[in-house]
């Protein structure tokens, strides 16, 4: 399905968040904005339910309403735009992820899998390391004793294990930690050990039938994509399948920087 979409049009976005998680607008508002923007395919992918307390993740009790809303919107828009029911599934190690029976049994059109949480250094508590660099710096001290190497390694360890566990179609922003880590330690992404971690992930993905997301969410504000453009040559040379998503949380950002990402990608694919 994803292959058919991206091979037929650029008027798609398969990663977005609404009122069911940390999105700032309702599904109806996103649907109207997507149709107005000329989208032909639009995916709703709330942050999945998780077995921990998290204000950014949808509640399991809301899943039936979410699925019903996607079906309703498809009826209302009469085929002029196709809406999809998906989730961005948090991987929390062996105890929770896309391969878990809960997600296998949900009638989703596709599954995105991402790492947002890693275990605290001493307590093992799941800590959200996503979000702003300012919050990341605070949490680095509060939960990780300022051990940035531990945080980066834990992120990529989980990403590796997530790929091996499988159960998903798209890997979301697989080097997202690079942005916050670079704020904490300028130049960290140029260090050999860091590059080895990313190379390991690319090597794993090359052997899997998984789409790699080029996430455009941070380009306008931070001048970077996820994964970083420095890795795009590796991705294309290894023949990995790429999908360009905006990870929209606001209706005016459903197509944000996607055209720029596609323009730059063309230099690697032609």
């Amino acid at each position: 399905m994803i292959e058919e979409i991206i091979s037929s049009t650029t008027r798609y976005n398969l990663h977005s968040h609404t009122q069911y998680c940390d999105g700032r607008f309702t599904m109806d508002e996103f649907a109207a904005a997507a149709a107005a923007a000329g989208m032909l395919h639009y995916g709703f992918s709330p942050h999945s339910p998780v077995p921990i307390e998290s204000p950014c993740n949808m509640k399991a009790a809301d899943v039936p309403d979410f699925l019903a809303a996607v079906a309703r919107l498809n009826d209302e828009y009469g085929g002029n735009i196709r809406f999809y029911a998906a989730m961005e599934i948090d991987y929390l190690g062996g105890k929770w992820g896309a391969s878990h029976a809960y997600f296998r049994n949900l009638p989703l059109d596709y599954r995105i899998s991402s790492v947002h949480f890693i275990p605290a250094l001493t307590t093992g508590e799941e800590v959200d390391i996503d979000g702003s660099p300012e919050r990341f710096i605070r949490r680095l001290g509060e939960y990780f004793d300022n051990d940035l190497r531990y945080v980066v390694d834990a992120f990529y360890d989980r990403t590796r294990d997530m790929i091996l566990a499988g159960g998903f179609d798209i890997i979301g922003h697989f080097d997202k930690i690079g942005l916050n880590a670079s704020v904490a330690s300028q130049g960290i992404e140029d260090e050999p050990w860091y590059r080895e971690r990313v190379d390991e992930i690319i090597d794993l993905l090359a052997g899997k039938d998984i789409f790699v997301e080029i996430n455009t969410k941070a380009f306008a504000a931070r001048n970077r994509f996820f994964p970083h453009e420095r890795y795009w040559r590796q991705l294309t040379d290894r023949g990995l399948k790429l999908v360009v998503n905006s990870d929209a949380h606001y209706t005016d950002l459903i197509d944000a920087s996607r055209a720029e990402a596609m323009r730059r990608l063309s230099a690697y694919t032609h």
Side-chain angles (χ1 to χ4, degrees), residues 11 27-42 44 73 76-83 251 254:
R11 304 310 303 148
M27 289 178 66
D28 287 84
E29 289 170 319
F30 268 100
M39 290 286 180
L40 299 177
H41 301 272
Y42 197 81
F44 295 105
L73 288 169
E76 289 180 5
Y77 282 81
N80 293 317
I81 177 173
R82 173 68 190 276
F83 297 104
T251 53
I254 60 173

Side-chain angles (χ1 to χ4, degrees), residues 58-126:
M58 80 180 305
K59 305 301 182 186
D62 288 334
V63 172
D65 287 345
F66 162 68
L67 295 173
V70 176
R72 173 179 58 79
L73 288 169
N74 274 315
D75 288 341
E76 289 180 5
Y77 282 81
N80 293 317
I81 177 173
R82 173 68 190 276
F83 297 104
Y84 300 90
M87 283 187 187
E88 183 177 14
I89 301 170
D90 274 293
Y91 182 75
L92 302 177
K95 60 182 176 288
W96 197 251
S99 63
H100 193 280
Y102 173 77
F103 296 108
R104 292 201 307 269
N105 292 327
L106 286 178
L108 299 174
D109 293 306
Y110 59 89
R111 293 157 178 82
I112 302 172
S113 195
S114 303
V115 173
H116 300 97
F117 298 86
I118 65 168
L121 186 60
T122 56
T123 66
E125 172 188 357
E126 295 292 346

Side-chain angles (χ1 to χ4, degrees), residues 7 43 57 60 71 109 114 122 130 139 144 150-151 153 155 166 189 197 202-204 206 224 231 234 245 258 260:
S7 64
N57 290 72
D109 293 306
S114 303
T122 56
D130 206 51
R139 294 193 166 190
F144 305 107
Y150 167 82
V151 172
D153 278 334
F155 177 89
E189 292 179 279
R197 296 312 313 256
I202 295 173
D203 287 343
L204 278 176
R224 73 172 289 161
Y231 307 122
Q234 286 176 263
N245 292 325
R258 290 184 65 257
E260 178 63 17

Side-chain angles (χ1 to χ4, degrees), residues 163-194:
I163 295 167
L164 293 172
F168 60 94
D169 305 287
I170 300 173
I171 185 169
H173 49 61
F174 76 71
D175 73 334
K176 186 76 179 292
I177 189 64
L179 172 60
N180 284 339
S182 293
V183 173
S185 178
Q186 188 175 1
I188 191 173
E189 292 179 279
D190 296 317
E191 296 182 16
W193 69 269
Y194 186 98

